[in-house]
């Protein structure tokens, strides 16, 4: 999971720093990215071949800029056959990402039906930052890719609920349900800073903790971490839905 205290500037520096080809990005694009105020990262595809050891993931990193515009970068993370070194490349468009997959894995890999580089029908929106331009808006339902880890998931759920400080956090029925969790995945849905009404800046992060129960049911907890407290103290809140979590972030940004 990403560092909840990581600023958008630090996130961008880390992304460009690990990319083998960051020098290929247009100078004007990099200059615009230097004004980024907030960011959101999402996993778009993942592929793993146990037989060859080859795997790859495609992430989309979207940035809200100071001028109200937006920029998306596409990150390809991969491991080649017979090589244990994880590589990262970053691109300014989906088309360039597709070409990179074709170059690295062959034309068939780039277009194979079960493993497209990006989700079929996921067209580039007119405004690349539709979600972050309204920082805390409840987004439209989206397809999420799951890579669950079979770990001490019930204990993880207990710890998430225990650190929640909001009075309307999930109660005992949800806690009892999650005692049967055997796998989970943590995904950052939002990260950035927001000016408060008193002139201070506060950091906000939103995480989805997705769990699989023994009966196959999927249950998610939505965790908001922020510093929109009177003394700037870090605070954790947990909700049962993404909509409730984003509404809470909006409220914290307005009233504190």
């Amino acid at each position: 999971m990403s560092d909840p205290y990581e600023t958008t500037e630090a996130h961008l520096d880390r992304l460009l720093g690990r990319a083998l080809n960051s020098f290929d990005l247009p100078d004007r694009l990099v200059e615009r990215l230097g004004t980024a105020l907030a960011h959101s990262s999402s996993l778009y595809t993942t592929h793993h071949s146990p037989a060859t050891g080859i795997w790859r993931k495609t992430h989309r990193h979207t940035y809200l800029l100071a001028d109200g515009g937006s920029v998306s970068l596409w990150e390809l993370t991969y491991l080649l056959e017979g090589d244990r070194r994880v590589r990262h490349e970053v691109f300014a468009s989906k088309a360039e990402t597709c070409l990179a997959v074709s170059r690295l894995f062959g034309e068939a890999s780039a277009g194979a039906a079960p493993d497209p580089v990006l989700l079929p029908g996921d067209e580039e929106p007119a405004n690349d930052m539709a979600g972050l331009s309204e920082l805390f808006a409840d987004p439209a339902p989206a397809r999420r890719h799951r890579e669950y880890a079979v770990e001490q998931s019930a204990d993880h759920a207990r710890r998430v609920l225990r650190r929640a400080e909001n009075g309307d956090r999930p109660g005992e029925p949800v806690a009892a349900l999650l005692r049967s969790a055997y796998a989970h995945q943590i995904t950052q849905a939002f990260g950035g800073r927001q000016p408060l009404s008193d002139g201070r800046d506060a950091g906000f992060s939103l995480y989805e903790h997705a769990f699989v129960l023994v009966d196959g049911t999927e249950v998610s907890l939505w965790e908001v971490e922020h510093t929109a407290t009177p003394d700037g103290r870090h605070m954790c809140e947990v909700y049962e839905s993404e909509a409730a979590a984003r509404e809470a972030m909006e409220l914290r940004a307005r009233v504190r």
Side-chain angles (χ1 to χ4, degrees):
M1 183 169 65
S2 302
D3 182 350
Y5 298 101
E6 184 178 49
T7 64
T8 295
E9 180 182 8
H11 171 85
L12 181 61
D13 287 345
R14 187 164 56 86
L15 173 63
L16 297 181
R18 69 190 177 215
L20 298 175
N21 65 331
S22 57
F23 55 84
D24 286 334
L25 293 174
D27 291 341
R28 176 55 181 158
L29 174 61
V30 176
E31 289 175 5
R32 293 192 70 209
L33 284 166
T35 70
L37 301 175
H39 68 279
S40 178
S41 299
S42 59
L43 175 67
Y44 263 68
T45 59
T46 180
H47 170 84
H48 178 232
S49 174
T52 63
I54 293 175
W55 66 261
R56 65 180 179 268
K57 295 180 181 179
T58 304
H59 286 84
R60 183 184 185 185
H61 305 279
T62 309
Y63 300 88
L64 176 67
L65 307 182
D67 62 5
S70 64
V71 167
S72 285
L73 293 179
W74 299 88
E75 182 184 23
L76 179 63
T77 303
Y78 59 91
L79 193 65
L80 297 173
E81 184 175 4
D83 191 348
R84 303 185 66 177
R85 178 190 174 193
V86 177
R87 291 176 169 84
H88 302 262
E89 296 188 30
V90 65
F91 304 94
S93 70
K94 292 193 296 185
E96 292 177 358
T97 310
C98 291
L99 289 174
V101 171
S102 178
R103 165 175 55 85
L104 291 164
F105 302 99
E107 194 67 36
S109 294
D115 180 40
V117 177
L118 298 167
L119 291 175
D122 178 46
E123 301 300 330
E124 198 78 38
N127 182 347
D128 209 16
M129 199 58 169
L132 280 183
S133 61
E134 299 178 3
L135 288 179
F136 305 117
D138 185 20
R143 289 167 288 184
R144 289 189 169 85
H145 295 261
R146 304 296 191 194
E147 286 191 331
Y148 288 109
V150 180
E151 297 177 354
Q152 296 179 334
S153 301
D155 185 61
H156 175 76
R158 180 184 59 82
R159 286 184 282 109
V160 171
L161 291 172
R162 185 178 61 186
R163 64 178 176 249
E165 298 183 51
N166 52 309
D168 54 348
R169 61 186 177 274
E172 178 55 29
V174 173
L177 198 63
L178 289 170
R179 291 187 190 114
S180 68
Y182 73 90
H184 69 280
Q185 179 199 55
I186 308 168
T187 305
Q188 184 171 14
F190 176 84
R193 302 193 67 80
Q194 174 76 357
L196 305 180
S197 57
D198 61 7
R200 294 183 295 129
D201 273 358
F204 288 89
S205 294
L206 175 62
Y207 298 99
E208 180 187 13
H209 301 261
F211 299 90
V212 181
L213 310 185
V214 291
D215 63 358
T217 304
E218 294 181 306
V219 176
S220 288
L221 295 177
W222 293 87
E223 180 181 25
V224 176
E225 294 183 347
H226 66 85
T227 56
T229 51
D231 57 358
R233 177 182 64 87
H234 175 266
M235 182 176 182
C236 170
E237 303 179 30
V238 176
Y239 298 90
E240 293 185 52
S241 71
E242 182 175 7
R246 290 182 179 270
E247 183 179 353
M249 287 198 295
E250 181 181 9
L251 177 63
R252 301 296 177 263
R254 278 194 284 111
V255 303
R256 293 185 183 268

